[in-house]
Amino acid sequence: VVAVLFCGITQAHYTFNNLSPESQDRTKQLFELLNFLAENFIFSYMGLTLFTFQSHVFNPMFIIGAFLAVFLGRAANIYPLSFLLNLGRRNKIRSNFQHMMMFAGLRGAMTFALSIRDTATYARQMMFSTTLLVVFFTVWICGGGTTQMLSCQRIRVGVDSDQDNSMSIAEGSERRSTKQESAWLFRIWYNFDHNYLKPILTHSGPPLTATLPPCCGPLARFLTSPQAYEV
């Protein structure tokens, strides 16, 4: 799972930039379709399993403890980490965004997939049944109430992420301020990625002839894509 996740992140960050604009649109539409089909399959499978699984074990104390552990664990991640991040940020993570992450960030398709792999013992059957209840509760209650919660927290809805990103990029000062207030480790990685990795792996970014020392000129010209000089 982790390998596939990081493969997708790498493909989106590097390979996507090597596609033509039309291919980028078609690729995005294809993966949106695959996402829609996979999401429908997993939740249909969960609904079917809830009523067809023959060995459900519902322990009220374990179920209550699981719900408390899930919500307390979520709160222990969201609020302290947001507080620590806000200590070094000018653009703070507002409390309404923190409440929204706490409310709508609970799902369980992955936990369902892991728990159903082995239901041989009593304890694993109880864990599987409890997992199903937690998943359905977070999907129906937290997921179904997301729109109402967004309105209650006065968070904008119906915003196109691509358009919003392009608008933020157009505002150069805002982008520079966001980059300047980023963590030092992120700044180091961003500069290394922008100056060296992207010119080698994609057609975007500055040419290596502009970032590498003059003594590396032949190697820089060999590794840099011709399209990078046109950007």
Side-chain angles (χ1 to χ4, degrees):
V1 173
V2 176
V4 174
L5 173 64
F6 276 90
C7 176
I9 293 174
T10 305
Q11 295 290 335
H13 189 63
Y14 296 112
T15 309
F16 190 75
N17 291 321
N18 291 334
L19 302 176
S20 65
E22 184 177 357
S23 297
Q24 290 180 352
D25 293 336
R26 297 296 179 265
T27 302
K28 186 177 179 180
Q29 293 169 0
L30 173 62
F31 278 94
E32 287 176 351
L33 173 63
L34 294 177
N35 171 62
F36 176 78
L37 294 176
E39 185 178 9
N40 277 272
F41 172 78
I42 189 64
F43 284 108
S44 298
Y45 186 35
M46 281 193 290
L48 181 66
T49 307
L50 180 64
F51 297 103
T52 59
F53 187 66
Q54 300 297 321
S55 303
H56 279 302
V57 177
F58 296 104
N59 187 318
M61 292 301 297
F62 187 76
I63 293 172
I64 294 173
F67 273 96
L68 288 176
V70 166
F71 282 100
L72 290 177
R74 184 75 183 175
N77 277 275
I78 296 297
Y79 297 112
L81 290 178
S82 298
F83 172 77
L84 293 176
L85 286 172
N86 284 338
L87 293 178
R89 291 170 61 99
R90 287 193 295 269
N91 185 17
K92 307 292 185 182
I93 303 175
R94 299 194 299 271
S95 59
N96 59 340
F97 281 88
Q98 297 178 34
H99 299 331
M100 195 65 226
M101 288 188 289
M102 171 66 193
F103 178 81
L106 300 172
R107 294 295 182 270
M110 186 57 64
T111 57
F112 166 79
L114 295 174
S115 63
I116 201 175
R117 296 180 63 182
D118 188 356
T119 57
T121 64
Y122 176 87
R124 298 190 181 203
Q125 292 168 1
M126 181 173 62
M127 186 173 295
F128 172 67
S129 301
T130 304
T131 298
L132 271 180
L133 291 181
V134 172
V135 170
F136 278 109
F137 177 84
T138 56
V139 170
W140 289 336
I141 303 302
C142 298
T146 297
T147 302
Q148 291 76 14
M149 188 67 173
L150 286 168
S151 301
C152 179
Q153 296 295 327
R154 298 180 180 179
I155 298 175
R156 292 189 305 163
V157 296
V159 179
D160 187 353
S161 59
D162 294 335
Q163 182 180 0
D164 194 48
N165 288 335
S166 63
M167 290 175 61
S168 64
I169 291 175
E171 299 173 358
S173 60
E174 180 179 351
R175 185 184 181 189
R176 284 191 297 271
S177 64
T178 303
K179 183 175 179 294
Q180 290 171 357
E181 71 177 10
S182 301
W184 64 271
L185 185 61
F186 172 77
R187 290 199 300 269
I188 293 175
W189 166 252
Y190 176 85
N191 291 329
F192 177 75
D193 177 60
H194 180 72
N195 293 330
Y196 302 107
L197 291 184
K198 276 195 172 181
I200 294 175
L201 300 176
T202 72
H203 300 314
S204 61
L208 287 174
T209 52
T211 57
L212 288 176
C215 61
C216 301
L219 179 64
R221 287 190 293 271
F222 176 74
L223 293 177
T224 302
S225 170
Q227 287 86 344
Y229 297 100
E230 303 173 359
V231 178

